[in-house]
């Protein structure tokens, strides 16, 4: 304050009044003091949200990475992380980030230092983890945990999930409304993660609601482009009557596009494709991918808000926040040119 007073050529008390935002200072004097402070490199302190700051000023965010796996940016989870980071900045909360390394069976190899050294007051866990890993983290962090796109059956944790079932129903119903009846499913398996199983269930429910018993499902062990490519090749060769494919996620849908190109099936002229998640690449592939949009940034924002509330009220019941979805129609899907038979059931809503 003395340095600022000397530079602005005002009294020390005037600097105090300006910096404390008192009203009884002439505008030109106020401006001169603030300019002097800026030139000297001083910045005003940001007022921290006191109720939360008193209980939790640093939170952790954990994602999963397999041993020896390349360090790549997940196009889905990166936006969730951005949502958490933005909300932390808005609420003046420190954020620590770490990967939890797992083996081929998804078992944790070691815990991040922020947990071992108790450096955080709560943790947001993003993605699929074994329940034993979540339970271990819970013991160390006093249950101050929020799961994002994560599930447990033994303990109830706050969580942020996607309405996967309704999104899948919407995607398949959209294909049905455009005349398709032979619709394939790529990117799932009977023992898949719960979110994937919900999308698989939505596919089956949408077809059943229209009285369609014939399904075309080709299992894929992973939600990756190359696996979806191989699965789509198998399915389209075995069932060439398929006119549309619903892929469990956008990366799988891009694999389907590649397989269709390999087989000479033009998209969308004689094969329609719909994905799920609406990652950035969905708009950049050719043709641009019709997909189910998920507000991934909002998922991160809601996770931080749930964690803040959990730290403030540790005894409350667990809360699950479900994020709804929206179909984004682009160029990879088109009307089926063939006329419908008289026996086709009229469009029905799916409950």
């Amino acid at each position: 304050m003395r340095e600022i007073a000397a530079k602005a050529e005002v009294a020390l008390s005037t600097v105090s009044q300006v910096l404390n935002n008192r009203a009884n200072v002439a505008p030109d004097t106020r401006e001169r003091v603030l300019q002097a402070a800026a030139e000297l490199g001083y910045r005003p302190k940001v007022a921290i949200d006191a109720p939360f700051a008193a209980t939790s000023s640093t939170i952790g965010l954990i994602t999963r990475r397999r041993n020896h796996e390349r360090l790549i940016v997940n196009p889905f989870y990166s936006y969730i992380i951005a949502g958490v980071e933005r909300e932390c900045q808005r609420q003046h909360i420190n954020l620590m980030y770490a990967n939890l390394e797992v083996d081929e069976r998804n078992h944790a190899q070691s815990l991040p230092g922020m947990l071992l050294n108790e450096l955080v007051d709560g943790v947001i866990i993003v993605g699929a983890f074994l329940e034993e890993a979540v339970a271990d983290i819970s013991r160390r962090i006093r249950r101050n945990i929020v799961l994002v796109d994560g599930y447990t059956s033994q303990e109830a944790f706050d969580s942020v999930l996607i309405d996967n079932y309704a999104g899948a129903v919407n995607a398949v119903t959209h294909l049905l409304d455009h005349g398709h009846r032979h619709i394939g499913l790529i990117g799932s398996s009977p023992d898949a993660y719960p979110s994937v199983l919900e999308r698989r269930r939505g596919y089956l429910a949408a077809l059943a609601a229209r009285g369609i018993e014939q399904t075309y499902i080709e299992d894929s062990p992973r939600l990756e482009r190359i696996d979806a490519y191989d699965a789509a090749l198998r399915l389209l060769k075995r069932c060439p009557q398929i006119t549309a494919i619903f892929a469990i996620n956008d990366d799988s849908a891009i694999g389907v596009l590649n397989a269709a190109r390999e087989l000479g099936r033009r998209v969308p002229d004689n094969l329609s494709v719909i994905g799920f998640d609406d990652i950035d690449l969905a708009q950049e592939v050719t043709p641009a991918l019709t997909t189910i949009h998920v507000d991934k940034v909002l998922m991160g924002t809601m996770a931080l808000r749930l964690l803040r509330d959990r730290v403030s009220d540790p005894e409350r019941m667990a809360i699950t926040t479900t994020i709804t979805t929206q179909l984004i129609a682009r160029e990879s899907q088109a009307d089926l040119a063939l006329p419908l038979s008289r026996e086709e059931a009229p469009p029905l809503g799916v409950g």
Side-chain angles (χ1 to χ4, degrees):
M1 288 174 60
R2 290 190 181 90
E3 289 177 334
I4 295 170
K7 187 172 183 62
E9 299 180 343
V10 297
L12 190 63
S13 60
T14 302
V15 175
S16 176
Q17 290 173 340
V18 171
L19 298 184
N20 285 285
N21 203 27
R22 303 287 187 241
N24 57 338
V25 180
D28 58 336
T29 303
R30 180 184 302 276
E31 180 61 30
R32 195 162 73 249
V33 170
L34 293 176
Q35 180 64 30
E39 291 176 0
L40 290 169
Y42 292 107
R43 298 290 180 270
K45 281 188 176 180
V46 178
I48 295 178
D49 186 346
F52 189 46
T55 56
S56 177
S57 57
T58 303
I59 66 105
L61 189 148
I62 297 177
T63 57
R64 177 180 61 113
R65 185 173 72 90
R66 288 190 178 92
N67 283 342
H68 311 301
E69 188 177 55
R70 290 185 300 116
L71 289 173
I72 58 175
V73 176
N74 184 295
F76 183 85
Y77 291 138
S78 61
Y79 279 93
I80 295 176
I81 295 169
V84 173
E85 183 177 21
R86 186 177 69 179
E87 189 67 7
C88 282
Q89 292 174 344
R90 194 182 73 82
Q91 298 194 27
H92 315 299
I93 299 167
N94 297 318
L95 175 64
M96 298 185 71
Y97 171 78
N99 276 308
L100 181 63
E101 291 199 351
V102 299
D103 61 18
E104 293 76 11
R105 296 184 178 181
N106 210 20
H107 292 285
Q109 298 299 286
S110 62
L111 291 177
M114 64 181 176
L115 296 178
L116 297 174
N117 298 315
E118 299 184 355
L119 299 177
V120 294
D121 303 288
V123 172
I124 295 172
I125 302 176
V126 180
F129 286 81
L130 289 181
E131 292 194 13
E132 63 184 48
V134 176
D136 194 8
I137 294 172
S138 174
R139 286 191 295 269
R140 295 174 180 275
I141 209 68
R142 300 178 298 281
R143 290 184 52 81
N144 292 338
I145 288 178
V146 175
L147 305 179
V148 182
D149 193 30
Y151 301 78
T152 61
S153 60
Q154 297 178 356
E155 292 188 75
F157 293 102
D158 295 324
S159 59
V160 180
L161 304 176
I162 304 163
D163 195 346
N164 293 289
Y165 173 80
V169 168
N170 193 13
V172 178
T173 300
H174 183 76
L175 292 170
L176 292 166
D177 288 345
H178 285 78
H180 298 276
R181 293 300 180 266
H182 300 285
I183 302 171
L185 176 68
I186 293 291
S188 73
S189 62
D191 59 348
Y193 197 61
S195 58
V196 175
L197 291 179
E198 284 294 287
R199 297 179 191 185
R200 184 181 177 117
R201 190 167 70 89
Y203 161 83
L204 295 171
L207 294 178
R210 298 292 177 90
I212 298 175
E213 298 180 357
Q214 181 63 59
T215 62
Y216 304 91
I217 301 176
E218 187 66 28
D219 290 342
S220 178
R222 297 177 299 177
L223 302 179
E224 296 182 6
R225 196 173 308 172
I226 186 62
D227 297 280
Y229 168 82
D230 292 336
L233 285 179
R234 295 193 301 269
L235 182 63
L236 291 172
K237 287 178 180 178
R238 188 174 72 250
C239 306
Q241 69 271 31
I242 289 174
T243 62
I245 288 179
F246 169 51
I248 288 295
N249 68 354
D250 288 344
D251 212 33
S252 296
I254 294 170
V256 173
L257 294 178
N258 293 337
R261 190 176 299 111
E262 176 77 15
L263 296 173
R265 298 284 295 265
R266 296 187 306 278
V267 177
D269 296 342
N270 55 23
L271 181 69
S272 289
V273 180
I274 290 184
F276 203 115
D277 289 339
D278 196 21
I279 62 175
D280 287 345
L281 194 56
Q283 303 179 59
E284 299 172 8
V285 295
T286 303
L289 187 63
T290 295
T291 186
I292 299 297
H293 174 73
V294 177
D295 193 334
K296 300 168 281 294
V297 173
L298 178 61
M299 293 179 71
T301 300
M302 294 307 300
L304 193 280
R305 292 176 183 176
L306 281 176
L307 184 57
R308 168 182 176 157
D309 187 58
R310 168 60 61 189
V311 173
S312 300
D313 185 8
E315 300 304 319
R316 69 159 170 76
M317 299 292 290
I319 295 174
T320 296
T321 298
T322 302
I323 305 296
T324 58
T325 61
Q326 177 186 7
L327 186 137
I328 305 297
R330 296 194 180 103
E331 300 166 5
S332 67
Q333 169 273 321
D335 291 343
L336 184 65
L338 298 176
L340 302 180
S341 66
R342 294 181 179 179
E343 290 75 20
E344 290 286 357
L348 297 174
V350 178

